[in-house]
């Protein structure tokens, strides 16, 4: 036992799929319940957790549908424990009903979306076309989710640890926006022991535990009086979201000082873009990269800072979608950069750009 | 003067917002009485459905979670898995349980979740103004079946106790009614029974209660009672459909 404890306090070098790293991180973060329904390309997470949750004496249920799974998340979160579900694009669409209720009831939970091609049944290849759905709410009503976008197995692990803390700290759903490539990618990573991100978390005094010794708790989302009820809730949520916008904007910048072109990409496409950028830079050009790690809140202040420092810089937005994050880039830079200096390269077929095609795209812009 | 009945301690208001002649007030009172008698108020977590009974937290003094339409069995499953020592009550109407949430109730029952369920069958959608439910009788007029429900195109009313009784993991299924004092007393006993089953870890237990909706049916409260007696009982026979000890 002593040896086991020792290993829990140290990093371990591991080799896993992104989807499995998400699962192990949830165990480390103290996730007590996991509910899911199989869908490609995320199925390794429920497969992994069906074994690990049993080993840890925690709760695993393969639900009858994604709708049931997210409502189990709703119940477990209301009961006061850490809880997660995962799915892929069509399944996440089904979960949107529950996500809206969870956001409305201000309950913490973690939801992993390993994106695939859409709309409709689409295909099972990697895609980033759920950007609008994740960052604009997705379900009905005025709400947001924190959205984290890993681009490596290491970040699948680390961001899952973070996601549970952020969910509890802000009392809201946190989405991990992975994709088919990142989920299926096998690469070594450091398995860090779980360390809470915050010194203190708000008490879960709202949790449903039976009302012994206190007044009954009610977890609700119905507010029939618009002026005194729902308006107040939505104002409160707006304040919370504004606080998060000021506190939580994560991004990675690479080679941005004095760059001629800055590529903006996240998730799998950022990995592909980086290969192309490195190849260009060995040829004596200056290409940088800006990678949002939080898709909501979007790191707008950071991008504006970069644009202001370098007036002549051009931007190339790369997505495995038809121009969804592009809208956030345009909104962010509308007063800082002429629109003609913002270029877009997207693929919508559930397929990814290659380092060569990104290299060519950068070369074209260099010639203009 | 002898006090025969008084307001249960679990009931926190002596009047409800329900329409005159509605059955929800009676059923909530029976739940309150059963909770008091078994002394389980502080260990209860109730699920509130979508529909007229959503506001049950205004009347019963327990922890409550409001569920999306039809999803209460999934929510309750998680609550019970997290808190096996607490009492989780499903409270669902016919639209909730037999239409939008059919999958959730079937699978929660099939998993043998140790839950107590109350299924209120008033053969209509009460809150939205009396539309056709899966339990609406053949020939019954509603705002969405203005010429009366027909089997062709609308199907026959779903008998939930009979349907769930085919699942081996359901342990107790009974259909009762609240159209008379005698039947109200039988309903009370059934509610106690589903709580006791959960207490004893027996497994999924449900009571289906035939209930009045005079406003949805567009009849007087007295005629609503007659409708249960003369129409509903023929198609929905009362009795115990399953009892596995």
């Amino acid at each position: 036992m002593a040896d086991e404890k020792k290993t829990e306090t140290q990093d371990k070098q591991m080799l896993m799929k992104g989807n499995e790293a998400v699962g192990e991180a949830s165990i480390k973060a103290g996730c007590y319940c996991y509910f899911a329904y199989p869908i490609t390309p995320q199925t390794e997470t429920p497969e992994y957790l069906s074994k690990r949750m049993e080993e840890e004496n925690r709760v695993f249920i393969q639900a009858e549908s994604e709708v049931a799974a997210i409502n189990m998340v709703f119940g477990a979160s209301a009961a006061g424990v850490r809880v997660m579900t995962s799915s892929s694009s069509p399944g996440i669409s089904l979960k949107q009903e529950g996500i809206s209720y969870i956001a409305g009831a201000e309950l913490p939970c973690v939801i992993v979306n390993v994106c695939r091609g859409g709309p409709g049944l689409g295909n099972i290849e990697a895609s980033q076309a759920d950007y609008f759905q994740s960052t604009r709410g997705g379900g009905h009503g005025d709400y947001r989710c924190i959205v984290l976008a890993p681009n490596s197995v290491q970040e699948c692990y680390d961001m899952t640890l973070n996601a549970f803390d952020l969910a509890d700290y802000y009392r809201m759903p946190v989405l991990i926006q992975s994709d088919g490539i990142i989920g299926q990618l096998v690469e070594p990573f450091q398995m860090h022991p779980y360390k809470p991100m915050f010194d203190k978390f708000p008490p879960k005094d709202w949790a449903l535990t039976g009302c012994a010794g206190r007044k009954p708790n009610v977890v609700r989302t119905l507010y029939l009086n618009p002026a005194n009820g729902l308006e107040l809730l939505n104002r409160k949520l707006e304040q919370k979201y504004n606080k998060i916008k000021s506190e939580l904007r994560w991004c990675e910048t690479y080679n941005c000082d004095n760059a001629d072109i800055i590529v903006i990409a996240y998730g799998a496409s950022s990995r592909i873009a980086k290969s192309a950028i490195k190849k260009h830079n060995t040829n004596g050009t200056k290409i940088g990269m800006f990678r949002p790690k939080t898709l909501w809140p979007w790191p707008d202040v950071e991008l504006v800072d970069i644009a202001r420092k370098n007036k002549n810089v051009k931007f190339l937005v790369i997505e495995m979608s038809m121009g969804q994050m592009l809208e956030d880039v345009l909104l962010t830079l509308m007063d800082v950069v002429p629109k003609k200096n913002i270029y877009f390269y997207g693929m919508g077929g559930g397929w990814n750009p290659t380092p060569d095609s990104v290299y060519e795209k950068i070369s074209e812009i260099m010639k203009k | 003067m002898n006090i025969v009945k008084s307001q249960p301690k679990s009931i926190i208001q002596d009047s409800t917002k329900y329409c005159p002649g509605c059955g929800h007030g009676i059923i909530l009172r029976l739940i309150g009485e059963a909770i008091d008698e078994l002394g389980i108020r502080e260990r209860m977590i109730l699920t509130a459905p979508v529909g007229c009974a959503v506001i049950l937290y205004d009347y019963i003094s327990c922890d409550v979670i409001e569920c999306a339409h039809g999803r209460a069995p999934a929510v309750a499953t998680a609550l019970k898995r997290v808190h096996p020592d607490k009492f989780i009550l499903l409270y669902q109407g016919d639209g909730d349980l037999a239409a939008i949430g059919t999958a959730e109730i079937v699978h929660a029952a099939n998993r043998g979740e140790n839950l107590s369920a109350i299924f209120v069958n008033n053969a209509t959608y009460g809150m939205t103004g009396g539309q056709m439910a899966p339990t609406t009788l053949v020939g019954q007029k509603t705002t969405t079946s203005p010429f009366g429900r027909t089997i062709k195109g609308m199907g026959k009313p779903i008998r939930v106790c009979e349907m769930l009784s085919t699942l081996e993991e359901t342990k107790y299924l009974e259909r009762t009614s609240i159209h008379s004092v005698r039947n109200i007393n039988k309903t009370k006993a059934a509610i106690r029974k589903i709580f006791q089953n959960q207490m004893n870890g027996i497994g999924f237990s449900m009571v289906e209660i035939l209930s009045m909706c005079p406003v949805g049916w567009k009849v007087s409260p007295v005629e609503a009672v007659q409708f249960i007696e003369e129409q509903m009982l023929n198609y929905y026979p009362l009795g115990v459909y399953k009892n596995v000890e």
Side-chain angles (χ1 to χ4, degrees):
Chain A
M1 281 300 283
D3 284 347
E4 275 175 33
K5 271 195 176 167
K6 199 178 164 192
T7 56
E8 283 296 306
T9 60
Q10 291 174 344
D11 282 13
K12 265 196 277 186
Q13 174 94 352
M14 300 294 286
L15 184 70
M16 275 187 190
K17 273 193 177 187
N19 286 341
E20 293 166 342
V22 165
E24 187 55 36
S26 74
I27 295 283
K28 296 281 194 289
C31 175
Y32 184 72
C33 294
Y34 172 80
F35 309 107
Y37 187 84
I39 182 170
T40 307
Q42 66 85 48
T43 305
E44 292 81 5
T45 308
E47 284 175 346
Y48 186 85
L49 283 175
S50 64
K51 180 167 178 283
R52 290 290 286 124
M53 286 301 214
E54 178 77 24
E55 285 170 356
E56 300 283 335
N57 262 328
R58 303 184 200 177
V59 180
F60 169 91
I61 299 178
Q62 180 170 323
E64 60 271 28
S65 69
E66 286 89 345
V67 179
I70 193 69
N71 280 283
M72 289 174 185
V73 170
F74 181 57
S77 181
V81 297
R82 287 191 159 186
V83 54
M84 183 170 86
T85 184
S86 65
S87 191
S88 179
S89 308
I92 295 289
S93 295
L94 286 170
K95 288 186 197 289
Q96 293 298 342
E97 172 196 75
I99 298 172
S100 168
Y101 278 77
I102 292 167
E106 292 192 84
L107 294 176
C109 72
V110 176
I111 301 152
V112 184
N113 182 5
V114 186
C115 299
R116 59 186 256 182
L121 204 50
N123 60 29
I124 59 167
E125 304 296 340
S127 168
Q128 296 179 322
D130 298 350
Y131 183 91
F132 282 156
Q133 191 189 44
S134 304
T135 59
R136 266 64 181 167
H140 58 285
D142 254 329
Y143 78 92
R144 298 281 191 172
C145 298
I146 292 171
V147 187
L148 309 178
N151 82 342
S152 63
V153 176
Q154 183 71 61
E155 284 192 353
C156 282
Y157 181 81
D158 292 342
M159 283 183 173
T160 305
L161 294 183
N162 295 336
F164 284 96
D165 288 353
L166 292 169
D168 277 349
Y169 188 74
Y170 292 113
R171 264 187 79 177
M172 64 189 285
V174 175
L175 276 168
I176 296 173
Q177 178 105 341
S178 177
D179 59 62
I181 294 176
I182 299 301
Q184 296 297 323
L185 190 68
V186 180
E187 61 183 0
F189 71 103
Q190 295 294 319
M191 191 179 278
H192 308 305
Y194 168 68
K195 277 184 207 148
M197 284 177 71
F198 304 96
D199 295 335
K200 255 180 108 173
F201 289 91
K204 292 189 174 180
D205 49 11
W206 41 264
L208 305 179
T209 56
C211 61
R214 59 161 169 79
K215 283 186 176 172
N217 283 338
V218 178
V219 171
R220 63 188 286 185
T221 57
L222 179 72
Y223 296 90
L224 288 172
N225 186 335
N228 296 330
L230 192 55
E231 186 66 25
L232 293 180
L233 173 73
N234 277 315
R235 293 271 169 231
K236 186 181 159 205
L237 290 178
E238 185 194 24
Q239 279 180 9
K240 176 159 81 175
Y241 300 152
N242 286 336
K243 184 170 183 281
I244 296 168
K245 278 186 204 168
S246 70
E247 292 174 352
L248 189 80
R249 294 184 311 270
W250 293 352
C251 60
E252 180 197 346
T253 56
Y254 168 74
N255 216 25
C256 284
D257 290 343
N258 302 315
D260 299 318
I261 298 171
I262 292 174
V263 174
I264 303 176
Y266 71 98
S269 51
S270 69
R271 292 280 288 263
I272 295 159
K274 211 166 199 175
S275 303
I277 291 166
K278 281 182 175 165
K279 193 174 160 193
H280 260 290
N281 287 346
T282 54
N283 296 339
T285 53
K286 280 199 162 177
I287 316 294
M289 192 167 83
F290 180 83
R291 173 169 75 99
K293 293 163 77 173
T294 51
L295 302 185
W296 194 89
W298 215 79
D300 51 356
V301 176
E302 290 71 14
L303 184 61
V304 167
D305 278 353
I306 289 170
R308 286 224 165 100
K309 277 184 200 155
N310 185 355
K311 297 256 186 251
N312 297 319
V313 68
K314 292 171 179 173
F315 291 94
L316 170 61
V317 179
I318 297 179
E319 293 175 55
M320 284 141 62
S321 47
M322 300 307 279
Q324 299 193 13
M325 183 178 68
L326 176 66
E327 291 192 4
D328 276 338
V329 173
L330 290 170
L331 280 169
T332 303
L333 295 178
M334 59 196 266
D335 296 329
V336 191
V337 176
K339 205 177 165 190
K340 67 179 172 59
N341 285 354
I342 298 170
Y343 297 83
F344 176 68
Y345 175 38
M347 301 189 81
W351 194 236
N352 53 283
T354 62
D356 284 349
S357 66
V358 175
Y359 184 89
E360 285 305 314
K361 196 76 195 172
I362 293 170
S363 303
E364 277 172 35
I365 298 168
M366 297 282 294
K367 286 177 201 155
K368 285 179 184 170
Chain B
M1 192 174 72
N2 286 336
I3 297 173
V4 179
K5 286 261 186 190
S6 60
Q7 183 169 307
K9 282 184 184 148
S10 306
I11 299 289
I12 44 181
Q13 224 173 297
D14 56 7
S15 64
T16 69
K17 291 180 191 142
Y18 295 119
C19 308
C22 168
H24 278 303
I26 296 170
I27 300 169
L28 293 181
R29 156 113 194 187
L30 296 180
I31 295 170
E33 287 180 6
I35 289 171
D36 275 13
E37 288 164 17
L38 298 169
I40 54 177
R41 188 183 74 86
E42 295 187 330
R43 292 169 65 197
M44 287 296 303
I45 304 173
L46 309 175
T47 67
V50 167
C52 298
V54 64
I55 48 174
L56 64 79
Y57 42 75
D58 284 345
Y59 309 123
I60 303 187
S61 172
C62 295
D63 277 8
V64 179
I65 185 165
E66 223 176 53
C67 304
H69 203 195
R71 317 299 174 220
V75 175
T77 294
L79 286 166
K80 188 68 183 178
R81 297 289 184 104
V82 175
H83 296 307
D85 59 327
K86 299 296 185 300
F87 287 87
I88 318 292
L89 177 69
L90 285 169
Y91 192 90
Q92 296 191 268
D94 40 39
D96 201 76
L97 182 141
I100 194 167
T102 323
E104 281 81 0
I105 193 69
V106 166
H107 287 274
N110 190 53
R111 283 191 299 266
E113 303 291 345
N114 187 25
L115 296 170
S116 310
I118 289 178
F119 167 43
V120 182
N121 178 359
N122 60 14
T124 194
Y125 286 11
M127 182 175 251
T128 44
Q131 292 78 31
M132 188 180 76
T135 48
T136 294
L137 297 179
V138 174
Q140 188 182 338
K141 287 182 181 174
T142 72
T143 60
T144 52
S145 57
F147 308 109
R149 180 175 185 159
T150 53
I151 298 168
K152 186 174 167 55
M154 301 181 202
K156 283 188 96 170
I158 294 176
R159 293 182 173 119
V160 171
C161 276
E162 289 85 335
M163 182 175 76
L164 292 183
S165 67
T166 66
L167 302 171
E168 290 187 16
E169 289 306 309
T170 53
K171 301 300 181 195
Y172 188 81
L173 298 168
E174 180 174 0
R175 183 179 291 125
T176 66
S177 176
I178 50 164
H179 72 285
S180 69
V181 173
R182 189 169 144 264
N183 282 289
I184 288 171
N185 289 337
K186 281 188 170 180
T187 300
K188 164 78 178 297
I191 292 172
R192 279 186 62 118
K193 172 79 177 168
I194 61 170
F195 282 157
Q196 273 161 342
N197 275 5
Q198 190 175 159
M199 198 181 283
N200 298 332
I202 285 175
F204 189 87
S205 304
M206 187 191 82
V207 53
E208 172 179 347
I209 304 170
L210 305 184
S211 177
M212 298 77 74
C213 183
V215 172
W217 297 347
K218 296 174 179 51
V219 296
S220 71
V222 172
E223 288 166 328
V225 166
Q226 286 167 350
F227 182 79
I228 291 186
E229 199 163 46
E230 293 163 12
Q231 308 278 327
M232 289 183 79
L233 291 183
N234 290 333
Y235 191 79
Y236 298 114
L238 305 184
V240 175
Y241 284 81
K242 199 160 186 185
N243 187 10
V244 181
E245 295 290 347

